[in-house]
Amino acid sequence: MSLAADSADKPTLYKRIRADIEKRILTGEWPPGHRIPFEHELVARYGCSRMTVNKALSELAQADLIERRRRAGSFVRRPQHQSAVLKIADIRAEITALGRGYGYELISRKLRAATAVDRERLGVRKAGKVIAISCRHSADNVPFAVEDRLIDLSSVPSAATADFSREPPGSWLLHHVPWTEAEHTISAIVADDRTAEALDIAIGAPCLVIDRYTWRSARTITAVRLLYPGDSHRLVARFKGG
Amino acid sequence: MSLAADSADKPTLYKRIRADIEKRILTGEWPPGHRIPFEHELVARYGCSRMTVNKALSELAQADLIERRRRAGSFVRRPQHQSAVLKIADIRAEITALGRGYGYELISRKLRAATAVDRERLGVRKAGKVIAISCRHSADNVPFAVEDRLIDLSSVPSAATADFSREPPGSWLLHHVPWTEAEHTISAIVADDRTAEALDIAIGAPCLVIDRYTWRSARTITAVRLLYPGDSHRLVARFKGG
DNA sequence: TACGATTATATGTCTAGACATATAAGTCAA
DNA sequence: TTGACTTATATGTCTAGACATATAATCGTA
């Protein structure tokens, strides 16, 4: 019944208040829509100032666990946006993390003025230079994914001199272009003859396709298409809060 | 040069401070590793109390945009975990949001004691009752996805009396089971004869597979496998933060 | 009954202090 | 040079107030 935990704690008071409330929400004791105690009630219960309680509630609100409404109170939020955190690591890091030997092979690299197709793929209007890269990643010498990438040189001029024969472009970009936004589109296809050969699978075998479009501050950086053998590779996403 | 915006603003001061800093980070003006001004410097710059600055910085820290280190200062964070927010809406909501007509068809519903296969799929040890559901979702009368679901009745007893002939189990669960965690595995297969018929596609056509495993507080709730036609359906994920 | 004005109230923001604490940096001795 | 000790400092938390503001509830009126 009592909110306050009397045990001697290391965590600070506002963190304890936040954890207490979070626990009640996560266990379902306070279901979506439930009104949590008013600030002044929590102040009385924990014997602290309003700012301390306010900090705890503000953080819960920032984490979308509760919703605060003036005059009405604070309420447990309904699982609103069913979303998942999809971990799409840099492929080299991903393979290394699995404890497998990473292999990289540059198939082609072309620096050219952007064609109409390039511009459409990057979603830009102005003509400029681009780098088109095709490469293959492998794990323990087994093909893992083939990559087909376009980099907008006007956004990332330094890419022109990067050595993509040794370092995969995804890894290079990750370390040279900070704070990007991206959009992923996931779909499935069956392997055509070229894809089948590159991935060493049968023609007609299923492939998982990830199209990623990356930008920073409304500025296109790169567009990439990744093809994985569909039956071997798995994307794992964990989500919380829905 | 000046951090302060002199224009008459609606937003409160701490929000303006936060936005100012966020902008500098997102534009790359303050790259990863850059030390942002000390609290006392911002206090001087904005002419406010330390608590106001502290609130702005605390929120940036909670959003993982900056890292705060005692005695050292606050630093722009490196794009650390390459992750994406994958929106996987409830299928009915997803189709409705697209402005298309939603159709639902219950194929089978069985209430049974959990078999060994069921227990393994749910990741539970104890035997108990489960509901096995097979159903199909359609958009404008075109098959959209087929669903094969298992619900652990010991976790969700009320599911036993739910009417799944009219409401899809995913929607029902979303509204009756709050705050869950889930793990998604995405892969690709080619359609076998049964799948091909259910989705009205050719045998051997690509299919996108989502396996979702949902629990709450270490308690399994449901395991579901969704099959989408691979060339028509697209999962879109946006991510932000490196 | 329906609508408009008033009021009460919970949250939102802010201040000017305080003490705690982790730790970078400097100091000094072995 | 290395290690141990000290100190300065930036952040972390907290208080006891204040006024602002959105809005649910109430009351009065058409």
Side-chain angles (χ1 to χ4, degrees), chain B residues 84-122:
Chain B
V85 173
L86 176 62
K87 285 202 161 187
I88 302 182
D90 165 56
I91 294 180
R92 183 172 62 180
E94 189 179 355
I95 292 174
T96 307
L98 288 170
R100 302 169 70 183
Y102 175 71
Y104 169 70
E105 187 189 341
L106 180 63
I107 298 169
S108 73
R109 175 196 173 279
K110 288 178 192 135
L111 199 159
R112 61 171 181 244
T115 65
V117 174
D118 292 341
R119 286 203 302 275
E120 212 218 324
R121 197 169 158 206
L122 287 171

Side-chain angles (χ1 to χ4, degrees), chain A residues 62 82 84 86 88 179 182 184 237, chain B residues 62 77 82 84 86 88 184 237:
Chain A
Q62 206 191 336
Q82 179 96 297
L86 176 63
I88 302 184
W179 299 109
H184 296 85
Chain B
Q62 205 191 337
R77 283 201 68 150
Q82 179 95 296
L86 176 62
I88 302 182
H184 296 85

Side-chain angles (χ1 to χ4, degrees), chain A residues 87-141:
Chain A
K87 285 202 160 186
I88 302 184
D90 166 56
I91 294 180
R92 183 173 62 181
E94 188 180 356
I95 292 174
T96 307
L98 289 170
R100 301 169 70 183
Y102 175 72
Y104 168 73
E105 186 188 342
L106 180 64
I107 297 169
S108 74
R109 175 196 174 280
K110 287 177 191 135
L111 199 160
R112 62 172 179 242
T115 65
V117 173
D118 292 341
R119 285 202 302 276
E120 213 219 322
R121 197 169 157 207
L122 288 170
V124 293
R125 292 188 163 266
K126 286 182 288 186
K129 293 198 170 173
V130 297
I131 295 185
I133 292 168
S134 177
C135 59
R136 183 164 69 167
H137 308 265
S138 57
D140 289 341
N141 296 316

Side-chain angles (χ1 to χ4, degrees), chain A residues 4-5 23 60 95 116-117 132 154:
Chain A
K23 190 177 169 190
L60 288 170
I95 292 174
V117 173
S154 61

Side-chain angles (χ1 to χ4, degrees), chain B residues 128-144:
Chain B
K129 293 198 170 174
V130 297
I131 295 184
I133 292 167
S134 178
C135 59
R136 182 165 70 165
H137 308 265
S138 58
D140 289 341
N141 297 316
V142 177
F144 186 80

Side-chain angles (χ1 to χ4, degrees), chain A residues 88-89 91 94 144-146 189 195 199 201 206-210 212 226-235, chain B residues 188:
Chain A
I88 302 184
I91 294 180
E94 188 180 356
F144 186 82
V146 290
I189 61 164
T195 307
L199 287 175
I201 56 177
C207 288
L208 200 58
V209 184
I210 299 181
R212 188 183 317 176
L226 293 163
L227 288 167
Y228 298 86
D231 54 343
S232 70
H233 186 68
R234 312 218 129 198
L235 287 169

Side-chain angles (χ1 to χ4, degrees), chain B residues 33-56:
Chain B
H34 177 91
R35 187 182 65 69
I36 73 175
F38 293 130
E39 289 190 352
H40 67 83
E41 295 176 300
L42 293 169
V43 161
R45 182 123 50 178
Y46 287 95
C48 61
S49 85
R50 207 190 122 212
M51 278 302 290
T52 301
V53 165
N54 184 278
K55 178 158 181 148

Side-chain angles (χ1 to χ4, degrees), chain A:
Chain A
M1 206 65 183
S2 78
L3 263 175
D6 293 17
S7 60
D9 289 302
K10 318 166 215 175
T12 55
L13 181 53
Y14 96 85
K15 280 183 181 162
R16 218 182 75 215
I17 299 173
R18 174 159 64 74
D20 284 350
I21 296 170
E22 197 168 334
K23 190 177 169 190
R24 282 178 151 76
I25 295 174
L26 264 30
T27 58
E29 183 181 338
W30 288 349
H34 177 90
R35 186 181 66 70
I36 72 175
F38 294 131
E39 290 190 352
H40 71 262
E41 296 176 301
L42 293 168
V43 161
R45 182 119 54 177
Y46 286 94
C48 62
S49 84
R50 209 190 121 212
M51 278 302 290
T52 302
V53 166
N54 185 277
K55 178 158 180 149
L57 296 182
S58 294
E59 289 197 1
L60 288 170
Q62 206 191 336
D64 268 344
L65 233 70
I66 66 171
E67 186 189 349
R68 312 198 73 199
R69 291 206 300 270
R70 274 182 151 122
R71 166 74 210 244
S74 303
F75 301 83
V76 177
R77 285 200 67 150
R78 199 158 286 288
Q80 68 287 15
H81 43 282
Q82 179 96 297
S83 64
V85 173
L86 176 63
K87 285 202 160 186
I88 302 184
D90 166 56
I91 294 180
R92 183 173 62 181
E94 188 180 356
I95 292 174
T96 307
L98 289 170
R100 301 169 70 183
Y102 175 72
Y104 168 73
E105 186 188 342
L106 180 64
I107 297 169
S108 74
R109 175 196 174 280
K110 287 177 191 135
L111 199 160
R112 62 172 179 242
T115 65
V117 173
D118 292 341
R119 285 202 302 276
E120 213 219 322
R121 197 169 157 207
L122 288 170
V124 293
R125 292 188 163 266
K126 286 182 288 186
K129 293 198 170 173
V130 297
I131 295 185
I133 292 168
S134 177
C135 59
R136 183 164 69 167
H137 308 265
S138 57
D140 289 341
N141 296 316
V142 177
F144 186 82
V146 290
E147 173 176 340
D148 177 31
R149 183 185 292 268
L150 215 55
I151 302 175
D152 185 349
L153 270 184
S154 61
S155 294
V156 196
S158 55
T161 56
D163 181 10
F164 293 128
S165 67
R166 305 188 56 191
E167 184 172 24
S171 304
W172 185 89
L173 283 165
L174 184 62
H175 290 101
H176 289 79
V177 182
W179 299 109
T180 56
E181 285 181 289
E183 189 168 298
H184 296 85
T185 302
I186 302 168
S187 54
I189 61 164
V190 293
D192 58 20
D193 51 355
R194 257 192 68 222
T195 307
E197 198 195 324
L199 287 175
D200 195 20
I201 56 177
I203 295 175
C207 288
L208 200 58
V209 184
I210 299 181
D211 286 296
R212 188 183 317 176
Y213 172 75
T214 308
W215 69 92
R216 185 182 68 198
S217 310
R219 185 137 199 191
T220 304
I221 293 170
T222 185
V224 61
R225 165 167 275 212
L226 293 163
L227 288 167
Y228 298 86
D231 54 343
S232 70
H233 186 68
R234 312 218 129 198
L235 287 169
V236 175
R238 284 186 71 158
F239 101 115
K240 181 184 169 182

